[in-house]
């Protein structure tokens, strides 16, 4: 993994404009080509504003729903109708509202017997979609990967001190014990799989994130700081989350 990558930091004045900026970037990415596009979603509360916007015009009309595929970067090991489910949330907020073809939504099998079994199934599904077993940096798996930042510095379900942080072979792994609430097992893409994207977009909002964000951007050894992308790496913050020195951006 390359040790340094240029990252763009974009500061939006508030949460609404953060969601709009994210929607604009998503629309631009999925309209870059004329063929199939792939977006890897994230859970937590940070992307909720974006997901709501995608179900509304003008954004809704600008997404070529027939040819965009929706994956999830990590999920909680609960049934999809559980309020903790990340894919359940994405379906409620936009996927089910806009008539996405069923085959274009790729949930993790969180009804498998155990998280590692779901991870193996999802890895197979990603490889089948990609059409190869090895990721080629010249041909990223995703057009856009959305990421969040936890208050302990985790991203996706890659928690501090977890072995999963070092995973280089598997694209997806099961996490028996979450490092943070909700304490349910997780299934998560690994850094190499998340990196296989034209753009990785972190969404971070709220004053509660300011300290941890300052530590990650300051270079402390925290999971989110290990994230890399084959393409662009963008941190989209709202002003409340942005550490002082980034306010003028
Ligand atoms: C999850 C997430 C996780 C999330 C961060 C930030 O399933 O919990 O995917 O990595 O992005 O914890 O969550 P908030 O946006 O709720 O702060």
């Amino acid at each position: 993994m390359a040790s340094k990558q240029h990252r763009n930091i974009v500061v939006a004045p508030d949460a609404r404009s953060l969601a709009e900026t994210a929607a604009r970037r998503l629309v631009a990415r999925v309209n870059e080509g004329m063929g199939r596009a792939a977006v890897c979603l994230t859970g937590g509360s940070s992307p909720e504003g974006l997901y709501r916007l995608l179900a509304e015009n003008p954004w809704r009309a600008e997404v070529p729903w027939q040819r965009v595929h929706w994956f999830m970067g990590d999920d909680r090991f609960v049934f999809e109708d559980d309020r903790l489910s990340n894919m359940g949330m994405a379906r409620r907020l936009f996927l089910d509202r806009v008539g996405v073809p069923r085959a274009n939504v790729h949930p993790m099998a969180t009804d498998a017997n155990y998280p590692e079994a779901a991870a193996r199934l999802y890895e197979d599904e990603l490889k089948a979609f990609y059409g190869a077993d090895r990721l080629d940096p010249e041909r990223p798996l995703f057009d856009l990967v959305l990421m969040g930042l936890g208050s302990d510095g985790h991203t996706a379900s890659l928690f501090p001190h977890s072995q999963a942080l070092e995973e280089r072979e598997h694209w997806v792994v099961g996490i028996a014990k979450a490092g943070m609430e909700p304490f349910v097992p997780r299934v998560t893409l690994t850094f190499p799989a998340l990196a296989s994207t034209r753009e990785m977009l972190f969404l971070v909002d709220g004053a509660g994130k300011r300290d941890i964000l300052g530590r990650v951007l300051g270079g402390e050894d925290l999971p989110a700081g290990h994230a890399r992308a084959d393409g662009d790496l963008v941190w989209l913050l709202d002003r409340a989350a942005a550490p002082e020195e980034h306010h003028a951006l």
Side-chain angles (χ1 to χ4, degrees):
M1 188 188 291
S3 59
K4 268 269 180 247
Q5 172 170 26
H6 175 72
R7 61 184 177 214
N8 302 308
I9 299 178
V10 178
V11 183
D14 52 34
R16 168 81 194 183
S17 115
L18 178 142
E20 285 171 355
T21 305
R24 203 173 308 123
R25 297 191 79 102
L26 185 148
V27 161
R29 284 291 170 191
V30 299
N31 283 302
E32 249 168 32
M34 294 303 284
R36 196 176 70 161
V39 176
C40 184
L41 301 169
T42 183
S45 58
S46 312
E48 285 180 8
L50 164 65
Y51 295 171
R52 286 202 175 87
L53 285 188
L54 292 175
E56 294 167 13
N57 282 326
W59 310 106
R60 177 179 179 152
E62 293 190 37
V63 177
W65 298 103
Q66 297 300 318
R67 58 179 182 81
V68 184
H69 287 253
W70 306 91
F71 294 86
M72 190 54 78
D74 73 307
D75 216 328
R76 290 88 181 265
F77 200 67
V78 295
F79 292 123
E80 224 178 81
D81 59 2
D82 190 299
R83 62 174 186 83
L84 293 178
S85 164
N86 288 340
M87 189 52 98
M89 186 253 296
R91 284 196 199 271
R92 269 192 314 282
L93 296 184
F94 78 106
L95 294 171
D96 284 352
R97 294 173 171 226
V98 294
V100 177
R102 260 180 88 89
N104 291 20
V105 181
H106 302 264
M108 290 168 164
T110 48
D111 55 356
N113 285 344
Y114 48 96
E116 193 55 31
R120 299 285 57 81
L121 289 168
Y122 209 54
E123 184 165 312
D124 288 348
E125 184 164 348
L126 286 169
K127 287 180 173 173
F129 180 83
Y130 185 63
D133 284 352
R134 291 265 148 208
L135 292 164
D136 173 359
E138 300 301 321
R139 186 174 74 84
L141 168 60
F142 300 113
D143 294 283
L144 179 70
V145 169
L146 299 174
M147 300 278 260
L149 173 66
S151 55
D152 60 350
H154 81 264
T155 190
S157 284
L158 298 162
F159 296 96
H161 314 299
S162 161
Q163 269 190 3
L165 298 173
E166 310 304 329
E167 181 61 50
R168 295 291 170 267
E169 287 304 315
H170 281 304
W171 298 15
V172 191
V173 293
I175 303 288
K177 242 177 129 209
M180 219 187 115
E181 284 187 323
F183 290 105
V184 291
R186 314 288 184 100
V187 182
T188 186
L189 268 62
T190 58
F191 281 128
L194 293 163
S196 186
T197 183
R198 296 182 195 285
E199 175 173 335
M200 175 177 282
L201 182 62
F202 275 88
L203 302 177
V204 188
D205 66 339
K209 293 283 169 71
R210 188 187 287 200
D211 281 357
I212 191 67
L213 185 60
R215 290 169 58 193
V216 171
L217 296 180
E220 213 178 301
D221 184 11
L222 291 161
H226 290 237
R228 299 288 179 273
D230 290 340
D232 299 332
L233 176 57
V234 182
W235 285 80
L236 175 55
L237 325 172
D238 73 354
R239 200 169 291 275
E244 207 70 25
E245 64 272 28
H246 298 296
H247 273 200
L249 292 171

